């Protein structure tokens, strides 16, 4: 009896599911971008998801990071579909999880188009949890890595996805709360926004620490925070306090892993 046959079937199924999840995500992204006459994401939900939807929404250029994340996920899906990756232990541990994150990514876009703002919060929280778990498995699994390509397409892309969605979850939740909160709450918007950014900074530092100071989540988070600052300084609603805090938190999140990674390059023995 060929005991390898069931594993081959499961591994092939995993590769197909990853490609299917990617296809779903790309179709949802194309529709979400406003193709085929649809309303773009920033104009959906009565504009709540636009750059002026809340005090914690980043400026428009921040969202260009999706192009990098999507290209990375496309490259991963093609790479993992190669025959030599079929029985790879790292792929067995992570393929299904990455497929889940791509599916939730696409589901968020579908929810933004056809669902409610509250449902977008639910889906993006699920996406954040899935990315957190996937990244944890990626950096802690004992299965051997497959070189630079493996590190970039699994650890790197998942890290960027996680870092960006961390901030996107905050912005999405703030947009929803803005639509349901009493108008009187706006008087405390600066204080609330600054407090939330402090928590974001602590979360970003915790992600770096738990991942042995991987840099990509911090890069994505700092990128989003920097554009959040730009929007608060020059856009609406304007808030100098939140803008300044966003810059401080971006530095707080980015500098520790960057310095540690540089030290490790200079002194490989440093932990």
């Amino acid at each position: 009896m060929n005991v390898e046959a069931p594993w081959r079937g499961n591994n092939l199924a995993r590769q197909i599911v990853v490609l299917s999840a990617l296809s779903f995500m790309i179709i949802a992204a194309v529709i979400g971008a406003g193709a085929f006459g649809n309303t773009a994401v920033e104009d959906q939900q009565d504009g709540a998801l636009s750059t002026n939807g809340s005090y914690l929404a980043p400026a428009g250029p921040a969202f260009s990071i999706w192009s990098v994340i999507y290209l990375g996920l496309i490259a991963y899906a093609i790479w993992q579909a190669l025959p030599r990756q079929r029985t790879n232990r790292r792929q067995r541990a992570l393929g299904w999880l990455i497929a889940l994150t791509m599916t939730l990514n696409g589901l968020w876009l579908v929810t933004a188009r056809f669902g409610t703002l509250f449902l977008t919060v639910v889906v993006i929280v699920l996406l954040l949890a899935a990315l957190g778990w996937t990244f944890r498995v990626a950096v802690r699994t004992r299965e051997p890595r497959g070189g630079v390509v493996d590190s970039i397409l699994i650890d790197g892309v998942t890290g960027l996805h996680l870092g960006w969605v961390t901030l996107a979850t905050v912005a999405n939740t703030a947009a929803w709360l803005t639509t349901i909160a009493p108008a009187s709450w706006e008087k405390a918007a600066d204080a609330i926004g600054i407090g939330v950014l402090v928590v974001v900074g602590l979360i970003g530092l915790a992600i770096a620490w738990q991942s042995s100071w991987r840099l990509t989540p911090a890069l994505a988070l700092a990128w989003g925070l920097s554009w959040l600052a730009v929007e608060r300084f020059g856009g609406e609603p304007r808030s100098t306090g939140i803008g300044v805090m966003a810059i401080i938190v971006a530095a707080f999140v980015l500098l520790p892993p960057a310095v540690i990674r540089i030290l490790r390059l200079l002194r490989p023995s440093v932990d």
Side-chain angles (χ1 to χ4, degrees):
M1 184 176 70
N2 186 357
V3 295
E4 294 293 329
W7 282 107
R8 287 200 189 104
N10 289 338
N11 291 326
L12 178 60
R14 185 199 67 242
Q15 290 177 306
I16 294 172
V17 167
V18 170
L19 290 171
S20 299
L22 175 72
S23 300
F24 170 67
M25 183 187 71
I26 290 176
I27 292 170
V30 169
I31 295 173
F36 311 117
N38 291 289
T39 305
V41 170
E42 61 269 21
D43 298 321
Q44 295 170 11
Q45 301 294 334
D46 296 323
L49 298 172
S50 65
T51 57
N52 59 3
S54 76
Y55 281 86
L56 295 176
F63 297 92
S64 63
I65 195 174
W66 277 124
S67 298
V68 179
I69 294 170
Y70 278 25
L71 285 174
L73 290 172
I74 291 170
Y76 167 77
I78 295 171
W79 172 68
Q80 66 84 40
L82 297 175
R84 65 177 176 271
Q85 296 297 326
R86 186 164 298 169
T87 57
N88 182 283
R89 292 182 178 180
R90 284 261 288 171
Q91 301 294 358
R92 287 178 178 175
L94 289 157
W96 296 102
L97 291 173
I98 295 175
L100 174 62
T101 65
M102 289 192 287
T103 301
L104 288 170
N105 189 312
L107 183 60
W108 184 89
L109 291 161
V110 172
T111 304
R113 176 70 177 84
F114 300 106
T116 65
L117 194 55
F118 173 72
L119 284 179
T120 65
V121 175
V122 173
V123 174
I124 204 167
V125 168
L126 291 174
L127 173 58
L128 179 61
L131 283 167
W133 181 255
T134 303
F135 193 60
R136 183 178 186 275
V137 173
V139 300
R140 292 195 172 190
T141 181
R142 296 181 179 178
E143 304 298 344
R145 285 175 170 76
V148 175
V149 174
D150 182 297
S151 295
I152 292 174
L153 296 184
I154 294 181
D155 299 44
V157 174
T158 304
L160 283 178
H161 204 174
L162 172 62
W164 172 250
V165 170
T166 298
L167 185 64
T169 301
V170 172
N172 197 164
T173 304
W176 170 61
L177 291 175
T178 298
T179 64
I180 65 171
S184 59
W185 283 26
E186 189 168 5
K187 296 177 181 178
D190 282 9
I192 294 172
I194 289 171
V196 170
L197 290 178
V198 170
V199 174
V200 169
L202 294 174
I203 292 172
L205 194 62
I207 291 173
W209 174 51
Q210 288 292 314
S211 64
S212 298
W213 304 104
R214 294 300 201 284
L215 189 57
T216 49
L219 283 172
L221 191 50
W223 167 266
L225 287 165
S226 299
W227 283 109
L228 193 158
V230 169
E231 186 65 18
R232 295 292 71 78
F233 287 140
E236 294 295 338
R238 188 164 300 188
S239 172
T240 301
I242 291 177
V244 170
M245 180 55 68
I247 293 174
I248 293 172
V249 173
F252 176 77
V253 166
L254 184 58
L255 286 178
V259 170
I260 290 172
R261 300 302 289 183
I262 291 172
L263 289 176
R264 285 178 174 174
L265 289 174
L266 297 176
R267 297 173 57 192
S269 61
V270 175
D271 289 327

